[in-house]
Amino acid sequence: QVQLVESGGGLVQAGGSLRLSCAASGRTFSVSAMGWFRQAPGKEREFVAGIDWSGGYRDYADSVKGRFSISRNNVKNTVYLQMNNLKPEDTAVYYCATRKVPGPTRGPGEYDYWGQGTQVTVSS
């Protein structure tokens, strides 16, 4: 059993920044890939960013490329999402997830464990 807990969400003005954290506990694996997803009301859960087991490979949705950065600290079992130049369309519940393979993918159904999510609201 792996537990994931997101934090760092909140209300921010357009153009502002937030940093999300996802702490993993329980039976974690050093070769697990991590991903961030988001879901707005009435919409499908969508891929935001992924990172491989080592942190050396990163993947971003086109909508956030150049604005968001994903990173991880395997000693702390924590993954981060730095979000800059936030836009109202970024408003959603953000979830972290992990899969028991080295490389990330973009499909929500391909991940094994999920956190509860943290709300990000961008005004204006």
Side-chain angles (χ1 to χ4, degrees), residues 20-67:
L20 306 184
S21 298
C22 174
S25 62
R27 190 186 176 194
T28 59
F29 299 89
S30 63
V31 296
S32 296
M34 302 290 295
W36 285 98
F37 296 78
R38 66 188 183 187
Q39 188 167 23
K43 296 187 180 297
E44 296 288 315
R45 188 169 299 188
E46 66 173 348
F47 170 81
V48 176
I51 190 166
D52 78 342
W53 70 276
S54 71
Y57 173 80
R58 298 169 177 85
D59 186 31
Y60 299 95
D62 289 342
S63 60
V64 306
K65 188 172 294 185
R67 299 188 297 121

Side-chain angles (χ1 to χ4, degrees), residues 1-119:
Q1 181 72 38
V2 176
Q3 294 83 44
L4 302 174
V5 180
E6 302 97 335
S7 62
L11 175 65
V12 65
Q13 293 179 276
S17 298
L18 286 172
R19 191 191 194 203
L20 306 184
S21 298
C22 174
S25 62
R27 190 186 176 194
T28 59
F29 299 89
S30 63
V31 296
S32 296
M34 302 290 295
W36 285 98
F37 296 78
R38 66 188 183 187
Q39 188 167 23
K43 296 187 180 297
E44 296 288 315
R45 188 169 299 188
E46 66 173 348
F47 170 81
V48 176
I51 190 166
D52 78 342
W53 70 276
S54 71
Y57 173 80
R58 298 169 177 85
D59 186 31
Y60 299 95
D62 289 342
S63 60
V64 306
K65 188 172 294 185
R67 299 188 297 121
F68 291 9
S69 297
I70 188 171
S71 61
R72 69 189 298 168
N73 186 322
N74 286 344
V75 175
K76 295 182 177 180
N77 287 321
T78 302
V79 63
Y80 307 93
L81 185 68
Q82 178 67 46
M83 305 186 294
N84 298 322
N85 192 25
L86 283 160
K87 304 177 184 297
E89 54 263 42
D90 295 319
T91 295
V93 177
Y94 283 70
Y95 300 89
C96 67
T98 186
R99 59 196 299 260
K100 303 297 185 180
V101 294
T105 58
R106 296 186 172 188
E110 298 165 1
Y111 286 76
D112 301 305
Y113 299 97
W114 294 83
Q116 291 182 312
T118 185
Q119 176 70 231

